[in-house]
Amino acid sequence: MEFQWPLEKLAATLMKDVRNITRVIYKESGILDNHRFRPLRKQNYHSDLTILISDLNGTVEEQNNISVVPKHYQNILALAFAVKEINENPQFLPNHTLGFHIYDSYDDAKKTYHTTMLLLFTLEAFVPNYICDMQNNLTAVIGGLDSEISLNVATILDIYKIPQLTYGPAPVMNDKTQGLYFYQMAPKESHQFEGILSLLVHFRWTWIGVIMMDNDNEERFVQTVLPLFSESGICFAFLERITILNFASKSYNNIQQWAKVHDKVMGSKANVVVLYGESYSMAYFRWLPYLSQLEHMTMNVKGKVWITTAQIEFTSFVSQRGWNPGMFHGTISFRINFSDPPGFFQYVESRNPSSIEGDGFIKDFWQQAFDCVFPNSIIGNVEGNICTGEEKLESLPGAFFEMGMTGHSYSIYNAVYAVAHALNMMSSAGFRHGGVLHGGRLKTQKPQFWQFHHFLRSVSFNNNAGDEVSFNQNGEVVSGLDVINWIIFSNQSFHRVRVGRMDPQAPQDQVFTINESAITWHSWFNQAYPISVCTESCHPGSSKKVKEGEPFCCYECIPCPEGKISNQEDMNDCNKCAEEDHPSKNQDVCIPKDRSFLSYKEPLGIILVFFALSFALLTVLVLGTFLNHHNTPIIKANNQNLTYTLLVSLLLCFLCALLFIGQPEKVTCLLRQTAFGIIFSVAVSCVLAKTVTVVVAFMATKPGSRMRKWVGKRLSTSIVLFCSLAQAGICTLWLATSPPFPDIDMLSVTEEIILECNEGSVPMLYPVLGYMGFLAIVSFTVAFLARKLPDSFNEAKFITFSMLIFCSVWLSFVPTYLSTKGKYMVAVEIFSILASSAGLLFCIFSPKCYIIVLRPELNIREQLIRRK
């Protein structure tokens, strides 16, 4: 902003304008100059149509003080231009001439009613040849620009069934006004609201402000339209009402209220503001930048994206001449889709106060628009600029006047043609069917007002601009809407750029279209994409948490809980992945789980296979060595059959570890735990038998011992068979009741689907392992008790060490096994099998192999029987 006025000075200045307006509004006369336009085609004509255009918003004068919206003068020109075209066309409405009157509503219900009554019942002659008798002249009314005025006019016109064509939004109906019928020339407001909502959703503007003019339409807008916005995820940072200045005593308070509205708008995080009001509202909105009570608000003006309906035009009061309109640069609005009728620009360009006769408005307009006075219109000294009449209309800024048609002017232009076409249809029908015999002669029957509606509803034509004009069943003009971007220049001129379209008749996916690249945003945004949200978007991997006591658009972003993801922005909740998938590290996408099992191809599997085969090969070498030296004393002294059985069982233990590697199959699942349990039981039974044999043999050497009868192969064989068969019985029961089977585990490991063997009945696994533990503990106990036997029988010491290793491995196996998942659980069991088996192999057989291979001189009978 260039400057900031003190509120007191501003109030005084504004009050002067308001008083001027008030004097005009409450002027006693209800009619403007009745003879200001005289559209004639021939000298003697019959006026079949009276057109009233209401709500000129102050295009009248009172002495030398005028406060007007000059731009609305074009509405008058559009009316006159349409009538002129029709009257000058000999093929259209032959033998008929259209005439019109222009009335002001004074923006007051009482005056509007009074003016409407004058239209119907006055005995004054408004135009030449106009007969003030409703039965002799067909009348249609165009207006008003604002819906409240249209409703006031309609309450009287409806009594006499006089058609009314509104070029503003349809009036708000209530219980007392139902049944009033309008022909709406402007776009239906509901389509515009849908367009605004589509625009907000398209650009993801969820945090917006709304400024409204304080009237009945505003209440309807708040109660019916804004809830639809909320249902689509739009929240409102503020809802502000602007009160129009009506009484001087309240003006200072109103100015303060306006100032607060401005500061609230500019201080808000909402970068998008929807403006809703009447045709003149923009002139009031332009006050806002000059009313701020905060200095930093005027020095550092923030840009906003302003969105308006087609009803609001970019207008200015004459008192706003020279005001910087840059605040509204980049505004997006809706406008009825149309093209300028040919000849209108030249018609407007030709308007000149010195050469135009019958236009009683042009001098008032000219003086206000160009800020000058005509010498013959004042008495005494002339103050200010003198109007030469040579000023160019195209030099006026767009806020004061436009050479091309505005949306309102175009609607008036079409309204005139719609009435003329209906009149043409009605006249033709009257000539064909309306004749009655009168004194022996056929006389055309004069149509009544109510008959005119039938023809007006069915009107459909192409105007001179090539646009089709027709009404739907509700009396609303069928038309699409253009989305317009306002490019405003510093000299108050502006340019409209079409950036989109709202077409209710188009296919569903093409109803609303927008070209983002064609939009020019306010310079404050540096042409960057404007963002208007209460809270920055929650990125994938997080969800929204609404803040207590605040609108649902204001929220916090919280990370998704473990096991859930959000793959879109601003999700209300995180979702679980399917069982076959798992969340990514950032919890923003579901990733298919890997199928996991201990494979022969992976390093861990290869290492375990290597050790299993190595130990198996070593066991074979030990067995081969023992078989090769089976006649030596050290082999004979250690129960050959029991030794060979132990070595074979250890060999099978190493090899059964291979059953745990690879993808689980039905056969491997059935065999691996049961084979391991039985084979290990055989191995531990052999160790127990060797230990018992050593103890019994030592005890049998004592004189008179009864243990001699137990010395021999029968005891060791009995121990091995009994202990092994007991384990085999447990395994058989397990397989018969609930055998293991291949299964998949999707829950234990987040990122993997574990292919495993389901043990069928876990309680059956515990007896298998417990029984082996029992045998190992018994073996360890017996071996420990026999560890101090003479050197010739010191195999008990090695068995003690082997059982110590065995028990240590399996005791550590239990917690490790339970704390791991997937293939690592299998690897722990394989490691335990290999480690415990290797412990038995090395502790029991390495001393013997050492003597057999490296110290053969010790492998003699004398050495074995030597005592310490």
Side-chain angles (χ1 to χ4, degrees):
M1 285 310 116
E2 298 179 355
F3 63 91
Q4 179 185 15
W5 285 355
L7 286 180
E8 295 80 359
K9 181 178 179 182
L10 183 61
T13 304
L14 184 59
M15 284 311 96
K16 178 183 177 182
D17 293 333
V18 171
R19 286 192 295 272
N20 293 338
I21 296 173
T22 305
R23 284 196 294 271
V24 171
I25 288 176
Y26 289 96
K27 188 176 179 183
E28 289 299 323
S29 171
I31 309 172
L32 302 184
D33 189 341
N34 302 323
H35 304 287
R36 295 191 176 192
F37 272 96
R38 295 174 183 171
L40 301 177
R41 185 178 57 185
K42 46 193 177 223
Q43 293 216 326
N44 295 320
Y45 71 95
H46 177 68
S47 176
D48 295 279
L49 177 65
T50 296
I51 301 178
L52 178 147
I53 177 170
S54 62
D55 189 25
L56 301 181
N57 284 307
T59 51
V60 295
E61 63 175 335
E62 184 186 64
Q63 299 177 359
N64 293 327
N65 295 322
I66 305 177
S67 183
V68 299
V69 179
K71 192 169 186 175
H72 286 167
Y73 176 62
Q74 192 195 93
N75 296 346
I76 300 174
L77 296 183
L79 172 67
F81 177 70
V83 173
K84 176 177 177 295
E85 279 190 334
I86 294 170
N87 287 342
E88 291 179 352
N89 186 351
Q91 273 71 41
F92 194 36
L93 280 177
N95 301 321
H96 290 77
T97 302
L98 297 184
F100 61 88
H101 291 232
I102 298 176
Y103 289 79
D104 196 347
S105 68
Y106 300 103
D107 198 25
D108 177 77
K110 178 180 177 182
K111 293 295 183 181
T112 301
Y113 287 130
H114 176 65
T115 304
T116 307
M117 297 294 289
L118 288 176
L119 167 66
L120 297 173
F121 301 113
T122 182
L123 297 178
E124 297 177 8
F126 292 110
V127 295
N129 299 328
Y130 182 76
I131 301 174
C132 299
D133 185 346
M134 293 185 299
Q135 296 181 352
N136 292 329
N137 288 87
L138 182 67
T139 304
V141 175
I142 301 176
L145 178 55
D146 299 326
S147 58
E148 185 176 358
I149 296 166
S150 299
L151 183 59
N152 293 334
V153 173
T155 54
I156 296 178
L157 295 183
D158 187 64
I159 299 174
Y160 302 96
K161 307 304 179 185
I162 298 177
Q164 179 181 358
L165 295 87
T166 66
Y167 58 100
V172 180
M173 298 298 179
N174 53 46
D175 295 339
K176 298 181 179 179
T177 59
Q178 288 182 358
L180 299 182
Y181 201 87
F182 299 91
Y183 298 90
Q184 187 176 341
M185 306 304 301
K188 189 177 180 181
E189 271 198 324
S190 61
H191 294 328
Q192 301 183 57
F193 298 146
E194 292 171 6
I196 293 176
L197 180 57
S198 299
L199 188 70
L200 297 175
V201 172
H202 175 83
F203 286 107
R204 303 179 69 182
W205 292 330
T206 59
W207 187 239
I208 69 169
V210 177
I211 301 180
M212 303 161 288
M213 302 305 293
D214 195 1
N215 55 29
D216 291 340
N217 278 349
E218 168 264 330
E219 289 297 331
R220 176 184 62 113
F221 183 73
V222 170
Q223 295 176 8
T224 62
V225 178
L226 296 187
L228 298 178
F229 284 28
S230 298
E231 291 175 5
S232 297
I234 309 299
C235 296
F236 304 100
F238 53 84
L239 297 174
E240 295 295 333
R241 296 169 172 83
I242 296 293
T243 303
I244 300 175
L245 300 177
N246 288 322
F247 304 99
S249 61
K250 295 184 179 179
S251 298
Y252 185 77
N253 292 334
N254 287 344
I255 291 174
Q256 287 183 315
Q257 182 237 345
W258 290 1
K260 292 178 181 179
V261 170
H262 173 267
D263 295 341
K264 189 169 185 177
V265 171
M266 290 304 166
S268 172
K269 289 174 57 180
N271 288 325
V272 175
V273 182
V274 174
L275 301 177
Y276 181 73
E278 301 295 353
S279 57
Y280 52 81
S281 298
M282 183 57 70
Y284 284 98
F285 293 145
R286 291 193 62 192
W287 276 100
L288 292 177
Y290 296 89
L291 300 176
S292 176
Q293 297 177 347
L294 304 176
E295 182 177 356
H296 71 276
M297 287 292 185
T298 55
M299 299 301 295
N300 302 302
V301 179
K302 291 176 61 177
K304 299 290 182 181
V305 179
W306 307 91
I307 302 176
T308 71
T309 61
Q311 176 69 355
I312 299 178
E313 284 283 352
F314 193 82
T315 58
S316 294
F317 293 132
V318 293
S319 59
Q320 295 170 328
R321 190 187 310 272
W323 287 18
N324 185 0
M327 173 182 178
F328 297 99
H329 177 62
T331 295
I332 299 176
S333 69
F334 290 81
R335 185 188 69 174
I336 188 171
N337 175 256
F338 71 91
S339 304
D340 268 357
F344 182 73
F345 182 89
Q346 291 75 15
Y347 177 77
V348 173
E349 191 177 33
S350 66
R351 309 306 292 178
N352 187 289
S354 60
S355 60
I356 300 298
E357 295 183 2
D359 186 349
F361 295 102
I362 191 167
K363 284 191 175 182
D364 295 340
F365 161 75
W366 207 271
Q367 291 180 125
Q368 291 299 321
F370 292 104
D371 192 22
C372 62
V373 293
F374 288 100
N376 60 349
S377 64
I378 60 175
I379 301 175
N381 296 329
V382 176
E383 296 181 2
N385 301 323
I386 300 298
C387 295
T388 65
E390 301 301 323
E391 293 85 0
K392 299 296 182 183
L393 289 175
E394 53 264 34
S395 67
L396 292 173
F400 274 23
F401 191 78
E402 292 186 65
M403 300 296 290
M405 273 193 175
T406 64
H408 297 319
S409 298
Y410 180 74
S411 296
I412 294 173
Y413 178 83
N414 283 338
V416 176
Y417 266 94
V419 173
H421 277 276
L423 180 61
N424 191 36
M425 295 166 58
M426 190 173 185
S427 299
S428 301
F431 288 136
R432 291 194 303 268
H433 306 293
V436 294
L437 286 176
H438 182 74
R441 299 174 57 186
L442 185 65
K443 182 178 180 180
T444 303
Q445 184 178 6
K446 189 67 178 179
Q448 301 299 313
F449 291 139
W450 60 267
Q451 295 174 311
F452 189 55
H453 285 279
H454 169 74
F455 299 97
L456 195 55
R457 289 191 190 99
S458 58
V459 160
S460 179
F461 62 93
N462 286 352
N463 61 22
N464 290 342
D467 299 330
E468 182 180 355
V469 180
S470 62
F471 297 105
N472 61 20
Q473 60 183 2
N474 298 320
E476 300 159 347
V477 69
V478 179
S479 174
L481 293 161
D482 288 336
V483 183
I484 301 298
N485 184 212
W486 294 4
I487 311 300
I488 300 177
F489 304 100
S490 58
N491 62 354
Q492 294 203 60
S493 63
F494 61 87
H495 177 58
R496 294 184 180 93
V497 178
R498 176 180 168 181
V499 296
R501 182 168 174 79
M502 181 73 184
D503 188 359
Q505 285 76 43
Q508 186 63 33
D509 59 339
Q510 300 176 16
V511 170
F512 178 81
T513 57
I514 192 74
N515 181 8
E516 297 182 23
S517 60
I519 300 177
T520 299
W521 306 110
H522 191 281
S523 57
W524 187 80
F525 296 109
N526 293 323
Q527 201 51 28
Y529 173 84
I531 298 174
S532 188
V533 294
C534 181
T535 304
E536 292 293 335
S537 296
C538 292
H539 299 296
S542 61
S543 62
K544 299 190 299 185
K545 181 182 179 182
V546 178
K547 297 180 180 179
E548 186 176 354
E550 297 190 19
F552 61 84
C553 293
C554 301
Y555 48 81
E556 297 176 337
C557 297
I558 57 174
C560 289
E562 185 177 355
K564 292 187 175 183
I565 64 105
S566 62
N567 55 5
Q568 297 178 4
E569 291 186 344
D570 293 333
M571 291 189 65
N572 293 321
D573 198 5
C574 299
N575 302 319
K576 281 187 176 182
C577 291
E579 289 187 345
E580 298 82 5
D581 302 329
H582 72 91
S584 62
K585 182 179 180 181
N586 295 327
Q587 293 182 279
D588 56 357
V589 68
C590 290
I591 302 175
K593 292 181 178 180
D594 295 329
R595 292 181 171 266
S596 175
F597 59 91
L598 188 58
S599 172
Y600 289 103
K601 298 179 180 180
E602 61 180 299
L604 180 60
I606 293 173
I607 292 173
L608 293 175
V609 169
F610 171 76
F611 279 106
L613 294 178
S614 298
F615 287 138
L617 179 59
L618 185 60
T619 304
V620 171
L621 291 177
V622 173
L623 180 58
T625 301
F626 273 53
L627 290 175
N628 191 39
H629 298 83
H630 67 281
N631 291 322
T632 59
I634 197 170
I635 302 298
K636 292 180 178 180
N638 285 278
N639 196 331
Q640 289 177 310
N641 294 333
L642 199 57
T643 300
Y644 297 152
T645 304
L646 178 58
L647 286 172
V648 171
S649 63
L650 289 176
L651 174 62
L652 295 177
C653 284
F654 290 128
L655 294 178
C656 80
L658 301 178
L659 294 173
F660 291 84
I661 303 176
Q663 183 171 344
E665 302 291 346
K666 185 174 182 179
V667 175
T668 54
C669 288
L670 286 172
L671 291 179
R672 65 184 191 179
Q673 293 290 4
T674 54
F676 154 69
I678 295 173
I679 294 170
F680 244 79
S681 296
V682 173
V684 177
S685 299
C686 290
V687 173
L688 178 60
K690 289 177 69 67
T691 307
V692 172
T693 300
V694 171
V695 174
V696 171
F698 176 76
M699 295 176 64
T701 59
K702 295 180 180 180
S705 174
R706 298 181 180 180
M707 301 299 294
R708 291 183 180 180
K709 62 180 178 180
W710 295 101
V711 176
K713 297 180 181 180
R714 186 175 59 178
L715 177 62
S716 59
T717 302
S718 300
I719 293 175
V720 172
L721 288 176
F722 176 79
C723 294
S724 301
L725 289 175
Q727 183 70 292
I730 297 174
C731 293
T732 301
L733 181 62
W734 182 9
L735 294 177
T737 56
S738 182
F741 58 91
D743 196 8
I744 57 175
D745 181 3
M746 296 183 178
L747 303 177
S748 297
V749 180
T750 303
E751 301 177 1
E752 295 176 349
I753 297 177
I754 300 173
L755 303 182
E756 63 179 5
C757 285
N758 190 311
E759 306 303 344
S761 176
V762 175
M764 292 301 298
L765 175 63
Y766 296 149
V768 172
L769 298 178
Y771 182 74
M772 287 191 300
F774 169 74
L775 292 179
I777 292 174
V778 172
S779 298
F780 173 76
T781 303
V782 175
F784 180 79
L785 294 176
R787 70 187 186 282
K788 295 183 179 180
L789 293 176
D791 290 344
S792 57
F793 298 103
N794 62 1
E795 189 178 30
K797 293 181 180 180
F798 302 123
I799 293 176
T800 302
F801 285 121
S802 66
M803 286 295 100
L804 182 61
I805 294 174
F806 186 95
C807 293
S808 300
V809 168
W810 287 102
L811 286 175
S812 61
F813 160 79
V814 174
T816 307
Y817 183 83
L818 296 176
S819 62
T820 54
K821 301 293 181 181
K823 60 185 177 181
Y824 299 105
M825 178 186 290
V826 179
V828 167
E829 187 168 0
I830 295 174
F831 173 80
S832 299
I833 293 173
L834 296 179
S836 58
S837 300
L840 292 176
L841 179 65
F842 281 97
C843 291
I844 295 177
F845 295 101
S846 58
K848 297 178 176 61
C849 291
Y850 173 77
I851 294 174
I852 294 172
V853 177
L854 300 178
R855 301 294 299 274
E857 67 276 10
L858 298 179
N859 191 7
I860 58 178
R861 179 179 175 80
E862 291 77 9
Q863 183 66 27
L864 291 176
I865 64 175
R866 185 180 61 84
R867 298 177 182 271
K868 289 184 180 182

